[in-house]
Amino acid sequence: MSKILGFDVSSTTIGWSLLNIDDNQVITLIKSGWIKPIKKGSIIERLINTRDKIKDIIEESKPDDIGIEDIIQFMQGKSTAKTIITLTTFNRMVCLLAYDYLKRSPTLFNVMSIRHGLKINNIFPKKEDMPELVAKHLGITFPYET
């Protein structure tokens, strides 16, 4: 059995889930949630506040491994340098916390690989389709923000 903690990091919402994978590769959701990084203050104050919340999640979950959606470097028509820099800053802060806990690098997952892995009936999902697809794959319903 393994407990896996996964993070989907942005500067506005950080989603997380704790999964159990048993010896037969059956995946069950233990717990999931999200945090909203504060919007006021300097980037350092925002990072410290978020760091403390993520550290609490890691310490309470006691995962065997941590997976993090890697940063996407450019999304045509949707990204600016400021957006990418802020996203990268938050993402790498979560990666460093994971490293501190695991004493090794967390597993980073490419955005497109995640979407391809979750597709159903060869339909490539959009970002907004992801919560329903994850719920369908795990056979669960859970609260999430859209």
Side-chain angles (χ1 to χ4, degrees), residues 101-134:
Y101 175 82
L102 296 170
K103 306 297 184 228
R104 60 180 167 76
S105 293
T107 304
L108 298 178
F109 293 93
N110 174 286
V111 173
M112 299 313 281
S113 296
I114 293 169
R115 290 188 188 174
H116 281 287
L118 290 173
K119 69 184 177 184
I120 294 178
N121 299 327
N122 290 322
I123 298 171
F124 186 72
K126 298 176 186 162
K127 181 177 181 172
E128 56 272 9
D129 298 331
M130 297 308 288
E132 290 299 323
L133 279 176
V134 170

Side-chain angles (χ1 to χ4, degrees), residues 4 23 40 42-43 54 73 85 91-92:
I4 311 296
D23 296 334
K40 297 193 181 208
S42 71
I43 188 66
I54 296 296
Q73 295 180 9
I85 290 167
N91 183 283
R92 292 313 188 234

Side-chain angles (χ1 to χ4, degrees), residues 1-2 4 20-28 137-138:
M1 270 207 263
S2 249
I4 311 296
N20 187 64
I21 303 175
D22 70 16
D23 296 334
N24 296 320
Q25 301 300 304
V26 175
I27 302 170
T28 54
H137 277 287
L138 293 176

Side-chain angles (χ1 to χ4, degrees), residues 4-23:
I4 311 296
L5 180 60
F7 288 100
D8 181 353
V9 181
S10 82
S11 59
T12 58
T13 304
I14 299 175
W16 61 273
S17 63
L18 182 62
L19 303 172
N20 187 64
I21 303 175
D22 70 16
D23 296 334

Side-chain angles (χ1 to χ4, degrees), residues 68-103:
I68 301 170
E69 181 183 70
D70 203 0
I71 57 171
I72 192 162
Q73 295 180 9
F74 181 75
M75 291 177 17
Q76 189 168 353
K78 295 185 179 186
S79 63
T80 64
K82 182 178 179 182
T83 301
I84 297 300
I85 290 167
T86 304
L87 170 62
T88 302
T89 303
F90 277 86
N91 183 283
R92 292 313 188 234
M93 179 268 301
V94 174
C95 289
L96 286 170
L97 281 170
Y99 186 93
D100 286 345
Y101 175 82
L102 296 170
K103 306 297 184 228

Side-chain angles (χ1 to χ4, degrees), residues 3 5 7 16 18 30-32 35 52-64 66 101:
K3 283 198 307 187
L5 180 60
F7 288 100
W16 61 273
L18 182 62
I30 298 171
K31 190 174 184 181
S32 66
I35 64 167
D52 293 345
K53 292 173 183 174
I54 296 296
K55 188 175 179 188
D56 288 345
I57 292 167
I58 292 171
E59 288 175 353
E60 288 173 20
S61 299
K62 296 179 180 24
D64 299 308
I66 298 174
Y101 175 82

